[in-house]
Amino acid sequence: MSMKRTNVYADPEDLALIKDASRRRGIPEAEIIREGIHLAAMANRVWDEPLDWPTFDGTGEPVTKEEIRAEFARRTDQ
């Protein structure tokens, strides 16, 4: 995977936390920063189409694991 270099400004306290985490985890500070960038990118992603979440008809009472599995299986078989 190719990478692109960029410059950002960061709070000194955040950089100190990253430095400590880098030492504890035994990985480069840059890897922690890349993880953070990826998480920020994914958290702000806009999907082209809405997700097709299963819905349930019922009384509003909590559903069981078995009901969820059955509904999911029914929808994936279609």
Side-chain angles (χ1 to χ4, degrees):
M1 165 176 54
S2 67
M3 300 215 185
K4 186 172 180 176
R5 182 183 175 101
T6 189
N7 294 317
V8 297
Y9 291 97
D11 291 330
E13 296 85 9
D14 291 337
L15 294 175
L17 291 171
I18 290 170
K19 186 176 286 294
D20 290 341
S22 169
R23 272 194 296 263
R24 279 193 321 275
R25 294 175 62 189
I27 62 173
E29 294 173 38
E31 181 61 27
I32 295 172
I33 293 168
R34 283 191 290 271
E35 287 175 9
I37 290 170
H38 179 70
L39 290 172
M42 294 305 292
N44 290 284
R45 183 174 179 184
V46 176
W47 300 92
D48 294 334
E49 298 176 13
L51 296 175
D52 183 22
W53 291 101
T55 57
F56 301 93
D57 295 326
T59 63
E61 295 294 318
V63 294
T64 66
K65 289 180 185 178
E66 291 76 22
E67 290 173 310
I68 293 171
R69 288 184 181 120
E71 180 65 16
F72 183 77
R74 185 185 70 77
R75 288 183 182 230
T76 55
D77 288 339
Q78 293 178 357

